[in-house]
Amino acid sequence: MGQKVNPVGFRLGVNRTWDSIWFAKKSEYGKYLIEDYKIRSFIKDNIKNAGVSEVVIERSSKKCTVSIHTSRPGFVIGKKGSDIEKIKKKISKITKDEVSVNIKEIKKPELNAYLVAENIAQQLEKRVAYRRAMKRAMQGTMRLGAKGIKVCVSGRLAGNDIARSEWLREG
């Protein structure tokens, strides 16, 4: 059996940090873990098409700070901050702690791997040719100064009954 290393664990402390920043006693650890999962799934389900790439949750004593990294902050904020208040209320129902929500803008969404993959997936759902979607995403990423990119799509490509995978790389 292959001994593959989890890519997140492999990069922690080198070029990536934890997505949840808190410390808990043994008795509270499971509760916090489940709350974090519920908060992330709520945000992913309810804030669609806003380019949410990452949700960072920080906890201190009786305070929970949720940072939402998005490419379209205006879409998440809403008119005069009304949507943030709705999000805050829903999250405060999930957790008992005091909640504050921060929205951080991603300046170059073409350089974020999660957002590039989301973009390609949306194009495939709209039945755009998969090679064209892959090449367009690669060109946009390389134009903005990425050192390299590798894209792989798999499944029933171009309506074929046989599942296969195609990949391209550059840089």
Side-chain angles (χ1 to χ4, degrees), residues 3-4 7 14 18-19 26 35 44 76 85 92 96 99-100 103 108 118-120 125-126 136 142 151 160:
Q3 303 194 347
K4 295 171 182 67
V14 180
W18 295 98
D19 291 337
K26 198 171 187 179
E35 282 180 5
K44 295 275 188 209
V76 177
E85 294 302 320
S92 63
K96 310 276 188 289
V99 176
S100 65
I103 293 169
K108 296 180 180 177
E118 239 356 84
N119 183 23
I120 293 172
E125 287 172 0
K126 294 176 187 170
R136 188 178 296 148
M142 293 303 286
V151 179
N160 291 336

Side-chain angles (χ1 to χ4, degrees), residues 146-162:
K147 292 182 180 177
I149 180 171
K150 182 162 97 171
V151 179
C152 178
V153 294
S154 62
R156 293 184 54 199
L157 300 174
N160 291 336
D161 286 338
I162 301 166

Side-chain angles (χ1 to χ4, degrees), residues 1-164:
M1 184 158 164
Q3 303 194 347
K4 295 171 182 67
V5 177
N6 187 311
V8 175
F10 187 66
R11 290 174 175 87
L12 276 173
V14 180
N15 60 1
R16 190 185 164 127
T17 60
W18 295 98
D19 291 337
S20 294
I21 304 166
W22 45 264
F23 181 80
K25 295 176 186 168
K26 198 171 187 179
S27 59
E28 295 178 332
Y29 184 84
K31 183 185 83 164
Y32 284 160
L33 198 64
I34 291 169
E35 282 180 5
D36 284 5
Y37 175 77
K38 286 180 181 177
I39 290 170
R40 282 197 179 89
S41 61
F42 164 75
I43 289 171
K44 295 275 188 209
D45 292 342
N46 291 316
I47 307 175
K48 291 182 179 171
N49 300 326
V52 175
S53 70
E54 188 179 11
V55 178
V56 178
I57 300 171
E58 291 183 51
R59 292 179 192 264
S60 59
S61 60
K62 301 298 179 192
K63 185 161 189 199
C64 179
T65 305
V66 180
S67 299
I68 301 171
H69 297 257
T70 178
S71 61
R72 291 185 234 155
F75 196 84
V76 177
I77 294 169
K79 290 183 179 178
K80 298 180 182 175
S82 61
D83 289 351
I84 290 182
E85 294 302 320
K86 291 178 187 174
I87 293 168
K88 237 185 229 188
K89 286 178 185 173
K90 296 275 174 102
I91 292 174
S92 63
K93 288 180 183 175
I94 295 171
T95 182
K96 310 276 188 289
D97 301 337
E98 180 187 327
V99 176
S100 65
V101 177
N102 295 333
I103 293 169
K104 297 185 179 176
E105 182 182 8
I106 297 171
K107 300 282 187 208
K108 296 180 180 177
E110 289 84 6
L111 295 179
N112 189 308
Y114 184 84
L115 295 178
V116 171
E118 239 356 84
N119 183 23
I120 293 172
Q122 286 176 353
Q123 288 181 25
L124 292 177
E125 287 172 0
K126 294 176 187 170
R127 297 189 178 269
V128 174
Y130 69 93
R131 279 197 185 98
R132 184 181 301 148
M134 289 167 60
K135 285 181 181 175
R136 188 178 296 148
M138 289 176 60
Q139 287 172 352
T141 302
M142 293 303 286
R143 190 173 358 98
L144 280 172
K147 292 182 180 177
I149 180 171
K150 182 162 97 171
V151 179
C152 178
V153 294
S154 62
R156 293 184 54 199
L157 300 174
N160 291 336
D161 286 338
I162 301 166
R164 62 177 211 234

